[in-house]
Amino acid sequence: MKYALVIFETDESRRRIQADRAAYRKEYEGWIGGLAAAGKLVGGEALETERIEPATVRTATDGTSAVSDGPAHSGEETLGGWFIVEVADRAEAVELARSLPTPETVEIRPVLESA
């Protein structure tokens, strides 16, 4: 089964990145390398979270849309990226997420596999 591990940066992860980006990347990339070495990593992408503010488009039922600066949901956590992993089941996806050594929040979602 494929699962998305959706990564949300937190105030603490941003603080650690700013304090020592190289050490943080080494720790984070070590985790990614472990997923790849185990044959679990299918893909993933990181999002730009520091220099360019996101935009949000909301479309109403009448078809009109409104654009606003900023994330769709504000708060401490910022969507930072995602990984797609191939695992036996949800429990394994949860264990992979729990093994992330850095202080992000990880949301685990099954990938919809179309027929």
Side-chain angles (χ1 to χ4, degrees):
M1 272 187 97
K2 289 182 184 171
Y3 280 83
L5 304 182
V6 184
I7 309 296
F8 291 89
E9 294 177 353
T10 63
D11 287 344
E12 177 60 18
S13 67
R14 285 188 290 274
R15 186 193 65 73
R16 287 182 53 190
I17 290 167
Q18 291 167 356
D20 190 345
R21 184 177 302 274
Y24 194 87
R25 285 189 66 90
K26 183 177 180 181
E27 192 173 15
Y28 196 82
E29 289 173 358
W31 178 75
I32 297 165
L35 293 179
K40 303 293 181 187
L41 184 63
V42 175
E45 294 291 338
L47 299 173
E48 166 57 56
T49 61
E50 293 184 47
R51 295 182 300 265
I52 302 170
E53 185 174 43
T56 298
V57 176
R58 287 191 167 84
T59 304
T61 56
D62 67 1
T64 61
S65 60
V67 179
S68 61
D69 290 330
H73 303 283
S74 61
E76 175 197 342
E77 298 176 329
T78 304
L79 180 60
W82 61 88
F83 296 98
I84 304 297
V85 294
E86 181 79 40
V87 293
D89 54 26
R90 181 180 180 272
E92 185 178 4
V94 168
E95 285 308 308
L96 291 179
R98 289 182 68 167
S99 71
L100 178 64
T102 54
E104 282 86 14
T105 298
V106 182
E107 184 173 314
I108 301 148
R109 294 276 188 138
V111 174
L112 181 63
E113 305 216 20
S114 53

